[in-house]
Amino acid sequence: VVLPGSDRPQGALQMAGWALAGPEPPEPFARAVEAAFAVVLSRAFALPGLGETTLVPLLDMCNSAPCAEEAHPFSYDPREQVVRLAAARPVRAGAEVRDHYGHHANGMLLVYFGYHNYGQEDPRGWGVHLALAVGPEDPLGPWKEALLADRGIDPARVIAAPRAEGGDPQVAARLRAVLRLLEVQDGDDHDALRAAEDPWDLLEAPWAEPTGPAKNALSAELDTRALDRL
């Protein structure tokens, strides 16, 4: 079922046939439409290649797995107009089959899906997933990819997490390091990293102050480019 129109409650009232230019709809009617809209919003899909909000019976009953690796993927065939849910691994009888709603901030999870993950030990539950990558035309690309591989970091799976009491400082340090590394250009910063006993000590160091010298061997200009990328 493809849903036309807006993703806001006003759009839901329009879809219900109420002219917004006229008098306000009766309160019980407006509340009923908003409640129905919330039900639809928490179950709707944006299918790849379709470009419309869609309801998929049965699939909308799946809860979200904590991360994509634990989910069973679904795909959309635009030619046949069919949605397929495929088992990514053997499923025992009675086990729950879950998909993955995506890496979203808690506010979005709460508004669109009615739950949030604050307080989970795994930062993927309350952070924002960033799909970063070494540029295909980057002349330092092989060197950067070797550094990332040596550290076991996939730049496409870096987490940006909010500063919170009890938060994992390694999350922020890793994000800072990857952003810096992706922005390194041939020059002093590249030379400093190649000369360092452990380049990750420099990459994970605190940000430079907006004014004044950098607090490590890397330049403040590198930090500016890294923050611009973020």
Side-chain angles (χ1 to χ4, degrees):
V1 180
V2 178
L3 302 175
S6 171
D7 63 348
R8 294 174 294 180
Q10 290 87 347
L13 288 171
Q14 288 176 326
M15 287 157 51
W18 196 274
L20 295 183
E24 289 292 321
E27 184 70 15
F29 175 81
R31 299 285 79 79
V33 170
E34 290 175 359
F37 179 74
V39 170
V40 169
L41 193 62
S42 66
R43 288 162 173 77
F45 289 82
L47 297 178
L50 188 59
E52 297 284 355
T53 304
T54 312
L55 294 178
V56 184
L58 297 182
L59 186 61
D60 63 5
M61 298 176 66
C62 291
N63 288 321
S64 180
C67 60
E69 290 82 357
E70 298 180 20
H72 297 279
F74 71 88
S75 61
Y76 173 63
D77 186 334
R79 186 180 61 180
E80 298 183 14
Q81 295 187 323
V82 169
V83 177
R84 294 184 175 89
L85 177 67
R89 66 195 67 83
V91 181
R92 62 177 175 79
E96 182 180 11
V97 174
R98 296 181 291 181
D99 70 353
H100 187 237
Y101 295 174
H103 295 276
H104 303 299
N106 265 332
M108 184 172 180
L109 289 176
L110 191 60
V111 169
Y112 283 86
F113 305 115
Y115 77 98
H116 65 82
N117 289 322
Y118 185 79
Q120 285 192 358
E121 293 183 3
D122 185 348
R124 287 173 295 187
W126 48 270
V128 178
H129 188 121
L130 300 180
L132 303 173
V134 177
E137 306 298 327
D138 190 339
L140 301 179
W143 169 75
K144 294 179 181 181
E145 290 172 349
L147 273 182
L148 291 165
D150 183 64
R151 194 74 165 191
I153 297 176
D154 179 357
R157 300 197 57 77
V158 174
I159 303 298
R163 293 179 61 87
E165 185 176 355
D168 185 355
Q170 293 180 356
V171 171
R174 175 163 294 190
L175 172 63
R176 186 164 56 237
V178 172
L179 288 169
R180 276 178 172 146
L181 180 61
L182 295 180
E183 290 299 326
V184 169
Q185 300 173 0
D186 196 12
D188 291 344
D189 291 319
H190 183 213
D191 293 342
L193 289 168
R194 290 180 64 89
E197 181 177 350
D198 184 355
W200 290 96
D201 287 342
L202 301 182
L203 291 168
E204 294 180 349
W207 296 113
E209 295 294 334
T211 58
K215 294 183 178 180
N216 57 35
L218 301 180
S219 67
E221 290 78 11
L222 175 62
D223 282 2
T224 298
R225 293 197 303 271
L227 288 169
D228 285 345
R229 176 184 282 254
L230 179 62

